[in-house]
């Protein structure tokens, strides 16, 4: 662990590496804004295209495509270099955005969201990998503030743009707005990012492993996302999908054991640093989806707020995260990774405890305060875990490691959808019977205890996060930026 003092002017946007950092920020901005801008426009989209029963797939198909492609992009970036894979991701995302903007039906829009998801699967992990390549651990303590600011700004810009476009222009512009951002990011990458691929020898692409991971991972996420929604958990469809996923993923493990250049090397599962970081990422994904799904629902249906106010209650979490992440670097350089992440996870536990005190008579500020505290804790937990994982490996495997971390977070989100959905629906079914309507139409006096049980689940996940963090080494021997 280095203790060198880093001048912000040597790593900021005006530094020699500044244009590359700017390109990464613009690229990640595409994904960050997309995470919030579409939700506010759904009523306008449905009013124009129809397909109300199909609109959840606008989010599910994007998540599926993003999640299963992340490990594949990570491996390709280690083989071919970061630049071509990042440009591919930006290109796919912009292409998907253009197609979405011209979509003529809900099925077409869903298909084009898949293209967007494939682009997003490259942008975020490869962007973070580039940051890991060009900055040392000490420098990333400063750079984290720039990356975190993208998410902080997007948490407010996204919903605002979505509302403005939907109400005053057209929902199609929530996709067209990505075009100038994507072009700017690609132009800077082409002009200013020069990289020297560490290994110029010919590579063998693990097609079998990639196919098994993509199909098996898609079926697993599909089963978790739609189980209890599109079909019952004990239905033939659910059993067949989840069983097929298990068979394919077991086959993937066997293939990877014999592959010359596995798409996801199994040694990733045997390193203490990576296991702790990936376990933390999974639990963070679970916590995020729990809050993102049930906080706005509770605010609107139980506390009686508007959709806009409910959105800002959740935005308190996305505001707390970047604020904490911008300070996390200074802390882990002084006290170590485990200590910093432990502090963050304990703050998450504290925030979860505050969330448990929110009731039907609480104010929306009470709910927002709990979200803000949890966001601060996640910021101190998530950012150091990614830096620790990247710093423990060399250039040739940094893409795979970053991709595995992002994939773990996506799996956590899918697991969270399944677990929290089962908890909430179980409580509602016990009170209203199996013929109850969807959660948005459940009476407040029934919905309140259902969501409260979800908050208990979030608190349990927060405690598990503390356990996962304890396995992280406090100090890590940093590998050189390039061997």
């Amino acid at each position: 662990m280095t203790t060198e003092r880093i001048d912000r002017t040597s790593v900021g946007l005006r530094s020699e590496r500044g244009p590359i950092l700017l390109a990464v920020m613009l690229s990640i901005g595409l994904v960050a804004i997309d995470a919030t801008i579409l939700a506010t426009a759904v009523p306008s989209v449905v009013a124009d295209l129809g397909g109300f029963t199909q609109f959840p797939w606008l989010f599910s198909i994007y998540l599926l495509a993003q999640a299963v492609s992340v490990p594949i992009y990570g491996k390709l970036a280690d083989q071919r270099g970061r630049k071509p894979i990042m440009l591919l991701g930006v290109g796919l995302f912009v292409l998907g955005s253009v197609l979405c903007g011209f979509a003529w039906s809900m099925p077409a829009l869903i298909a084009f969201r898949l293209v967007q998801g494939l682009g997003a699967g490259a942008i975020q992990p490869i962007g973070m990998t580039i940051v890991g390549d060009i900055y040392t651990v000490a420098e990333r303590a400063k750079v984290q503030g720039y990356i975190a600011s993208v998410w902080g700004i997007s948490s407010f810009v996204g919903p605002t743009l979505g509302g403005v476009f939907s109400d005053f222009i057209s929902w199609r512009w929530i996709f067209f707005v990505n075009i100038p951002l994507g072009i700017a990011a690609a132009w800077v990458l082409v002009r200013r990012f020069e990289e020297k691929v560490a290994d110029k020898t010919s590579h063998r692409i693990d097609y079998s492993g990639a196919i098994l991971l993509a199909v098996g991972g898609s079926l697993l996420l599909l089963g978790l996302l739609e189980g209890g929604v599109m079909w019952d958990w004990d239905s033939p469809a659910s059993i067949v999908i989840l069983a097929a996923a298990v068979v394919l993923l077991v086959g993937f493990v066997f293939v990877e054991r014999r592959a010359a250049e596995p798409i996801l090397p199994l040694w990733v599962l045997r390193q203490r640093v990576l296991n702790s970081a990936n376990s933390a990422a999974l639990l963070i994904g679970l916590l995020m989806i729990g809050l993102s799904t049930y906080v706005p629902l509770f605010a609107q249906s139980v506390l009686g707020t508007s959709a806009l106010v409910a959105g800002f209650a959740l935005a308190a979490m996305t505001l707390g995260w970047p604020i904490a992440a911008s300070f996390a670097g200074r802390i882990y350089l002084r006290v170590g990774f485990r200590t910093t992440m432990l502090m963050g996870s304990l703050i998450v536990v504290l925030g979860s405890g505050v969330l448990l005190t929110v009731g039907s008579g609480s104010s929306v500020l009470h709910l927002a305060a709990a979200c803000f505290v949890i966001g601060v804790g996640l910021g101190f937990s998530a950012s150091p875990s990614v830096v620790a994982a990247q710093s423990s490996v060399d250039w040739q495997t940094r893409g795979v490691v970053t991709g595995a971390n992002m994939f773990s977070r996506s799996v956590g989100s899918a697991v969270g959808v399944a677990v929290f959905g089962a908890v909430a629906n179980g409580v509602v079914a016990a009170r209203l019977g199996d013929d109850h309507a969807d959660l948005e139409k459940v009476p407040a006096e029934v919905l309140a205890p259902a969501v409260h049980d979800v908050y208990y689940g979030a608190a349990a996940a927060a405690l598990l996060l503390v356990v996962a963090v304890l396995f992280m080494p406090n100090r890590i021997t940093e590998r050189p930026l390039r061997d």
Side-chain angles (χ1 to χ4, degrees):
M1 178 77 66
T2 180
T3 57
E4 60 182 302
R5 295 182 62 85
I6 303 297
D7 183 359
R8 184 173 290 272
T9 58
S10 68
V11 299
L13 295 176
R14 296 183 180 181
S15 67
E16 183 179 357
R17 293 165 290 182
I20 303 174
L21 176 59
L22 176 62
V24 171
M25 291 172 65
L26 288 171
S27 301
I28 292 178
L30 290 170
V31 178
I33 291 177
D34 187 82
T36 56
I37 194 173
L38 179 57
T40 55
V42 164
S44 297
V45 174
V46 171
D48 188 16
L49 300 181
F52 176 77
T53 59
Q54 298 172 311
F55 89 83
W57 274 96
L58 293 176
F59 303 93
S60 296
I61 199 70
Y62 179 92
L63 176 62
L64 283 169
Q66 181 183 24
V68 301
S69 62
V70 161
I72 298 172
Y73 285 131
K75 181 62 178 180
L76 291 176
D78 288 338
Q79 291 182 338
R80 310 295 184 186
R82 324 305 191 203
K83 184 175 180 178
I85 305 304
M86 188 66 160
L87 289 173
L88 173 64
V90 172
L92 283 173
F93 196 93
V94 172
L95 173 62
S97 298
V98 173
L99 293 173
C100 285
F102 288 109
W104 56 89
S105 66
M106 186 63 74
L109 183 59
I110 291 171
F112 299 148
R113 282 283 287 173
L114 184 146
V115 179
Q116 266 194 314
L118 290 175
I123 290 173
Q124 189 170 353
I126 305 307
M128 297 307 297
T129 303
I130 291 173
V131 170
D133 287 342
I134 66 176
Y135 294 106
T136 65
V137 170
E139 290 173 331
R140 268 176 278 170
K142 301 286 187 181
V143 172
Q144 277 181 18
Y146 291 94
I147 301 297
S149 69
V150 174
W151 291 96
I153 294 172
S154 299
S155 67
F156 290 98
V157 171
T160 302
L161 286 179
V164 170
F165 289 151
S166 299
D167 293 341
F168 300 106
I169 306 177
S170 168
W171 63 263
R172 298 180 184 275
W173 280 93
I174 68 175
F175 297 107
F176 291 149
V177 73
N178 294 324
I179 298 174
L181 280 176
I183 292 175
W187 184 82
V188 177
L189 281 170
V190 170
R191 293 293 301 270
R192 302 302 296 269
F193 183 31
E194 299 293 336
E195 66 174 342
K196 180 181 178 182
V197 179
D199 185 4
K200 292 187 176 181
T201 60
S202 59
H203 294 280
R204 296 177 60 183
I205 299 177
D206 180 18
Y207 291 107
S208 298
I211 293 172
L212 287 171
L213 178 61
V215 178
S218 295
L219 290 176
L220 174 64
L221 293 173
L222 176 64
L224 293 173
L225 287 169
E226 300 301 336
V229 181
M230 295 287 290
W231 47 72
D232 293 332
W233 284 107
D234 57 354
S235 67
S238 183
I239 294 172
V240 169
I241 288 173
L242 292 175
V246 171
V247 170
L248 290 172
L249 292 176
V250 170
F252 167 74
V253 172
F254 281 105
V255 168
E256 297 305 271
R257 292 176 63 181
R258 298 185 177 185
E261 295 188 59
I263 204 77
L264 183 61
L266 298 183
W267 58 258
V268 171
L269 306 177
R270 295 193 292 265
Q271 287 199 12
R272 177 185 171 188
V273 174
L274 303 183
N275 282 334
S276 177
N278 293 339
S279 297
L282 186 145
L283 291 164
I284 288 169
L286 189 148
L287 281 162
M288 287 175 60
I289 199 68
L291 293 176
S292 300
T293 303
Y294 291 98
V295 163
L297 177 64
F298 188 89
Q300 292 181 73
S301 300
V302 178
L303 300 185
T305 69
S306 65
L308 182 62
V309 173
F312 281 122
L314 181 62
M317 180 188 72
T318 55
L319 178 63
W321 184 315
I323 290 175
S326 63
F327 289 101
R330 304 177 187 178
I331 298 176
Y332 68 63
L333 288 177
R334 293 187 178 184
V335 301
F337 287 108
R338 183 178 61 241
T339 303
T340 305
M341 293 173 63
L342 182 60
M343 178 186 70
S345 60
L346 291 174
I347 293 175
V348 174
V349 172
L350 174 63
S352 300
V354 175
L355 191 61
L356 288 174
T357 65
V358 177
S360 56
S362 301
S363 69
V364 70
L365 290 178
H366 187 174
L367 181 62
C371 292
F372 179 80
V373 174
I374 293 174
V376 169
L378 293 176
F380 282 122
S381 303
S383 298
S385 71
V386 176
V387 175
Q390 289 182 334
S391 302
S392 67
V393 297
D394 53 25
W395 189 96
Q396 291 89 339
T397 54
R398 194 170 290 132
V400 163
V401 165
T402 307
N405 189 268
M406 301 294 176
F407 180 69
S408 297
R409 188 180 296 182
S410 296
V411 171
S413 295
V415 171
V417 168
V419 172
F420 293 142
V423 169
N425 284 317
V427 174
V428 173
R431 290 172 175 258
L432 298 180
D434 293 332
D435 296 328
H436 66 274
D438 56 75
L439 290 177
E440 287 81 357
K441 299 177 182 179
V442 171
E445 62 272 15
V446 176
L447 183 62
V451 176
H452 207 258
D453 279 3
V454 170
Y455 294 161
Y456 276 112
L463 292 173
L464 289 175
L465 179 61
V466 175
V467 176
V469 165
L470 291 175
F471 289 93
M472 175 66 69
N474 205 39
R475 302 288 179 178
I476 295 174
T477 302
E478 182 181 6
R479 302 295 295 269
L481 292 182
R482 296 301 296 263
D483 288 345

